[in-house]
Amino acid sequence: MSGLEEGLGDLYYFTLVARHGGYAAASRATGIAKNKLSRRVTALEERLNVRLLQRTNRNVTLTETGHRLMAHGLAVLSEVEAAQEMITNSLSEPSGLVRISCPSLASRLLLAECIAECMKQYPKINIQLLATDKRCDPITEKIDIAIRLRERKNMEKGFIARELGKSIRILVATPEYLERKGHPVTLTDLAGHALLSLIDNEHEQIWEFIDKEENTATLSADPHLSCSEWDIVQTALFSHQGIALLPDMICGDALHSGKLIRVLPRWSRHPLIVHMVFPTRRGMLPAVRVFIDFLAARLPAMLAVTPG
C-alpha cells in the first residue's frame, strides 16, 4: 500500500473513481483493480451511511453529496501529492521524457521559444511534442501535459487543469481589401464578404460573437477559405482575399503596424481559455513538474496581447 493509500484510506479510492468518472477509467489510469475500487468505495458509503455514487449498467454518476466529498478529496489529495513531489524534486535533478500535446498553431506561437529555453536550462529533460489539432486523451495516449484552447463551457472534466490566459478571436482584413470591398458596419454585412477561417469544417460554420457588454450575436458563416494551416490562411489574408477570423495573438504586430485593420471591433468570438491539463499529480516525474511550472511562468505574459 502506498503512502497516499495508507494516509487517505477509502477517501483516496473514492476520489480516484470520482475524478476519472468511473471504476473502469480509474482502474486504467491507476492500475488498481476495479473490484478493489468498488469494495473500498462501498465501505466508505456504509461507514458514512450515505450514497456517494449512482450506479447503472453503463454509467457511474456522483450524487450531490458525492460531488461535495469529491471536492474535499481532491483538495486533500492535491496537498499530499504536492508534498511528496516537493521531496522528490529536492532529491533529484529533473530528467527523462516529457510528452506534450498542443494544437499546431499554438505550438509555433507559444511553445517554440519555451521548449528551446527549457532545453538549455534542463539538459537532462527530453521533450516530445505532438503538434496536432486532433483531440488527444492524455491517459490512453500517455501524454504528460496537454495544452488546450477551448471555450470555458467546453473544458472537459476529469483532469487537473491550470489556466494560463485567454485567446480572443477577432475579425481582421488588410486595408487594401477593405478599400476595394468596403467596411462592414454590422455582422450581417459579412454575408457580402469573402471570409477566411482557421477552422477546416466542411460545412457552414456557426460563429457566436460577444461584445464588452456581453451582448451576443450569431452568424452563419460560409467561408471562402477554410483551412487549419496558418501559412495558407495568412497568404490569402495578406493577398487581400478576404476578412479573417483569427486569434488575437497572431494579429498584434500587424494591427499595430497598420498592415491589418480590425473589422467590427465591437465584436469578438467567445474567448478560448488557454490551459494545461494533466491526468494526475500522483507519481508525476520531476521533469514534468518542472515543465508545468516553466510554462506557467512564461505563457501568461505571451498571451497578454493587445489586439488593437
Side-chain angles (χ1 to χ4, degrees):
M1 180 176 288
S2 73
L4 274 177
E5 293 172 74
E6 209 173 320
L8 298 180
D10 293 336
L11 177 61
Y12 167 75
Y13 297 99
F14 164 74
T15 303
L16 291 180
V17 174
R19 181 165 67 184
H20 292 288
Y23 293 102
S27 180
R28 287 193 299 270
T30 64
I32 301 172
K34 285 173 57 178
N35 60 353
K36 181 177 181 179
L37 292 168
S38 178
R39 186 171 66 252
R40 297 302 293 266
V41 172
T42 299
L44 179 62
E45 289 179 321
E46 291 176 351
R47 188 165 66 254
L48 297 176
N49 194 29
V50 66
R51 178 63 62 87
L52 301 172
L53 298 172
Q54 296 287 1
R55 302 161 178 84
T56 66
N57 291 335
R58 295 185 177 181
N59 298 311
V60 173
T61 58
L62 290 166
T63 64
E64 182 178 349
T65 303
H67 275 289
R68 294 201 300 268
L69 185 60
M70 180 183 70
H72 290 290
L74 287 172
V76 173
L77 194 62
S78 176
E79 291 300 319
V80 175
E81 289 172 343
Q84 289 186 334
E85 288 164 10
M86 178 187 67
I87 295 172
T88 300
N89 291 343
S90 67
L91 296 176
S92 61
E93 181 181 355
S95 63
L97 177 65
V98 178
R99 283 172 51 84
I100 309 160
S101 71
C102 183
S104 300
L105 181 57
S107 295
R108 294 167 56 185
L109 295 175
L110 299 177
L111 294 190
E113 292 184 9
C114 287
I115 287 175
E117 186 180 347
C118 187
M119 291 172 67
K120 292 179 183 177
Q121 190 167 339
Y122 301 100
K124 292 186 177 181
I125 294 180
N126 297 325
I127 298 170
Q128 184 177 9
L129 173 63
L130 284 70
T132 175
D133 295 315
K134 76 179 184 69
R135 184 184 293 267
C136 293
D137 181 352
I139 294 175
T140 60
E141 300 183 48
K142 298 181 180 179
I143 300 296
D144 297 305
I145 307 166
I147 307 295
R148 301 274 170 82
L149 289 83
R150 294 182 182 170
E151 292 184 21
R152 189 172 296 280
K153 65 181 180 180
N154 295 326
M155 292 174 65
E156 62 195 292
K157 310 294 184 183
F159 295 107
I160 300 169
R162 187 164 180 176
E163 293 190 21
L164 301 167
K166 295 179 181 179
S167 175
I168 310 298
R169 293 161 292 173
I170 60 176
L171 294 161
V172 295
T174 61
E176 291 83 354
Y177 172 84
L178 294 173
E179 183 178 348
R180 188 173 79 248
K181 294 292 187 178
H183 291 252
V185 178
T186 67
L187 285 173
T188 55
D189 292 342
L190 293 175
H193 287 266
L195 302 179
L196 313 176
S197 172
L198 267 174
I199 304 172
D200 57 358
N201 287 357
E202 180 180 358
H203 302 294
E204 185 178 75
Q205 301 173 15
I206 304 300
W207 293 355
E208 296 178 353
F209 290 89
I210 189 169
D211 66 10
K212 292 181 180 179
E213 286 73 42
E214 298 191 354
N215 299 305
T216 60
T218 300
L219 174 71
S220 296
D222 186 14
H224 191 45
L225 171 66
S226 299
C227 180
S228 61
E229 290 297 326
W230 163 233
D231 290 345
I232 295 175
V233 176
Q234 177 180 231
T235 298
L237 174 64
F238 285 102
S239 297
H240 324 303
Q241 296 305 306
I243 297 173
L245 179 66
L246 298 175
D248 55 3
M249 57 185 172
I250 296 177
C251 308
D253 291 343
L255 286 169
H256 290 306
S257 68
K259 292 181 180 178
L260 290 177
I261 294 175
R262 185 165 178 183
V263 176
L264 299 174
R266 171 187 171 187
W267 297 102
S268 64
R269 292 291 306 275
H270 289 275
L272 299 177
I273 308 301
V274 184
H275 57 291
M276 295 182 284
V277 299
F278 31 97
T280 179
R281 288 191 177 95
R282 186 186 181 206
M284 182 181 287
L285 293 174
V288 178
R289 167 53 59 196
V290 161
F291 202 81
I292 288 173
D293 292 340
F294 194 89
L295 294 179
R298 286 158 177 77
L299 292 190
M302 298 175 69
L303 290 163
V305 299
T306 303

